[in-house]
Amino acid sequence: MSTFIPLTSFPNLTSLPRSYFLGHHRSGFSKMKTMLSSIDLVIECRDYRIPLTSRNPMFEDSLGGKDRMILYTKQDLGSRGRPEDHRRETRLRNYLAPTPILFSDHKAQHSIQQILNFLRSHSIAKDSLTGSRILIVGMPNVGKSSMLNALRLHGVHKRKVAITGAQPGVTRKIATAVKIIEGAEGQEGLYIVDTPGVFVPYVPDAEAMLKLALCGSVKDTIIAPITLAGYLLYHLNLHDPNIYSQYHEPTNDVTPLLEAIAKKTGRLQKGGVPDSEAAALWMIQRWRKGHMGIFVLDEVSSITIAHQGEGMLPSLSQAKRTEKEARRARTRRRLSEAG
């Protein structure tokens, strides 16, 4: 029996869309900038599974000047507390210092309490009679609303106020500030403002777009599910191909794997034909929920950290120019190949 050798790189898909910057992203971001004078702290949420790719430079460029904390959400979906997980977190802390950062799981009480303790300490240091106003921002679907609900539940024991969902775009407008910590006697408490996720205007790296899509930062209709499943398979093989052993032997070809999954899970079309697209969506959702491997997609090293966000364009006009140039280059390449 031959030894399975996984791919060491994923094919470059130049035809992938490189933007998901929608109208409510633009309007929400503009509103955030007008609110800064009343904000004491900005919490930027990033997805633990893509700690570098889920950074949006627009927040640093336009919301700077305010105290800031970086909150890596969904830690439970990317970390098992392994030595390599601790090393990754240490590298991120060292690079972002002195900016405070926390790693969180909104379903874990101790994790939420750690965040509340930080926010309470920050508010006490401000010593304001009017309490504190906190703005929570991040890319689409990084878990801002879920985090707000968890902070409110543990902080003031109130039911959730922010609607959440598996697809991005559930929060489309700036919400009303909600209390998450009671104030001391004679003082107001701590209030947090939920915001819509804001995508970067342009993603120059096709693989970065795949990572964002796989983690749910863009709707599942933007990139073909079978393409995303193929990218997920690439990462599964790098970590442990036995993760999908109940469906198929190790393979670099996503087609037979999806057919096997479709047959085993009953995702069949008329005549018993495997529904590969439905199987791909099922496979992606299983991974997103932590049922098909717990790992990160970004390589976090001193080199990749130093180069994070390169080419991410904070200007929409720059993004349009770059996309237009990229389309022209693709057209020239196709004409050259045809000739």
Side-chain angles (χ1 to χ4, degrees):
M1 182 177 177
S2 60
T3 302
F4 173 68
I5 302 176
L7 295 176
T8 56
S9 63
F10 193 74
N12 185 24
L13 304 178
T14 57
S15 61
L16 284 180
R18 302 296 180 84
S19 181
Y20 189 66
F21 192 70
L22 306 178
H24 69 276
H25 296 177
R26 186 203 306 265
S27 59
F29 186 67
S30 296
K31 178 68 173 176
M32 291 176 211
K33 291 190 286 185
T34 68
M35 299 172 61
L36 281 182
S37 61
S38 63
I39 296 298
D40 300 295
L41 175 70
V42 175
I43 299 177
E44 183 190 342
C45 293
R46 300 178 184 178
D47 192 317
Y48 187 95
R49 297 166 297 178
I50 44 174
L52 306 183
T53 304
S54 58
R55 166 183 172 258
N56 188 337
M58 294 173 68
F59 296 129
E60 296 164 52
D61 292 341
S62 300
L63 305 183
K66 290 293 179 180
D67 289 352
R68 187 168 68 114
M69 178 183 78
I70 306 298
L71 183 62
Y72 289 95
T73 60
K74 307 183 184 184
Q75 182 187 27
D76 55 309
L77 299 178
S79 170
R80 290 190 182 276
R82 298 160 292 204
E84 60 264 33
D85 297 324
H86 295 308
R87 287 194 293 269
R88 181 189 314 113
E89 293 170 10
T90 298
R91 290 189 193 110
L92 290 169
R93 280 198 180 95
N94 291 341
Y95 178 74
L96 290 167
T99 301
I101 74 170
L102 292 174
F103 303 95
S104 66
D105 168 12
H106 76 272
K107 299 184 291 296
Q109 184 172 347
H110 72 276
S111 179
I112 298 303
Q113 192 59 54
Q114 185 181 31
I115 299 169
L116 289 170
N117 290 344
F118 172 86
L119 298 179
R120 188 178 288 107
S121 297
H122 181 273
S123 178
I124 291 172
K126 288 288 183 182
D127 192 26
S128 171
L129 292 176
T130 58
S132 290
R133 297 294 184 274
I134 301 164
L135 193 69
I136 187 166
V137 303
M139 293 274 267
N141 214 20
V142 292
K144 299 180 300 299
S145 298
S146 295
M147 182 57 63
L148 185 156
N149 287 332
L151 292 170
R152 181 172 168 81
L153 175 63
H154 292 282
V156 294
H157 310 294
K158 298 286 183 66
R159 62 182 178 82
K160 70 177 186 178
V161 290
I163 300 173
T164 61
Q167 291 291 297
V170 175
T171 304
R172 302 180 72 87
K173 294 181 179 180
I174 304 289
T176 303
V178 297
K179 183 181 288 188
I180 58 168
I181 297 178
E182 296 288 355
E185 186 175 351
Q187 293 183 328
E188 289 193 36
L190 276 72
Y191 290 81
I192 194 165
V193 179
D194 196 15
T195 64
V198 177
F199 205 79
V200 289
Y202 183 75
V203 181
D205 180 8
E207 187 166 359
M209 193 68 180
L210 286 170
K211 291 175 181 179
L212 290 163
L214 186 55
C215 289
S217 283
V218 303
K219 286 190 175 180
D220 289 336
T221 54
I222 301 300
I223 296 178
I226 292 177
T227 299
L228 278 185
Y231 185 65
L232 173 56
L233 174 61
Y234 160 67
H235 277 281
L236 292 174
N237 286 336
L238 290 178
H239 288 86
D240 181 8
N242 290 319
I243 291 172
Y244 57 86
S245 61
Q246 61 180 305
Y247 306 106
H248 199 278
E249 64 185 8
T251 177
N252 287 313
D253 187 352
V254 74
T255 301
L257 173 59
L258 292 178
E259 290 177 353
I261 288 175
K263 291 176 182 177
K264 187 149 187 176
T265 61
R267 285 164 170 78
L268 305 174
Q269 298 175 320
K270 189 175 180 180
V273 177
D275 189 337
S276 294
E277 185 168 311
L281 286 169
W282 180 88
M283 179 179 173
I284 292 164
Q285 290 298 333
R286 292 285 291 175
W287 179 76
R288 287 176 182 167
K289 293 178 180 179
H291 302 313
M292 193 169 273
I294 302 291
F295 52 83
V296 301
L297 303 178
D298 280 340
E299 178 190 353
V300 181
S301 66
S302 56
I303 295 175
T304 57
I305 288 177
H307 293 286
Q308 68 166 317
E310 283 190 351
M312 294 286 196
L313 302 179
S315 164
L316 186 56
S317 60
Q318 284 179 291
K320 288 179 178 178
R321 285 196 299 270
T322 303
E323 176 62 16
K324 185 180 292 185
E325 291 170 2
R327 284 200 304 269
R328 287 174 177 168
R330 289 195 293 269
T331 300
R332 287 195 297 268
R333 187 166 55 250
R334 284 197 298 269
L335 292 174
S336 175
E337 292 172 353

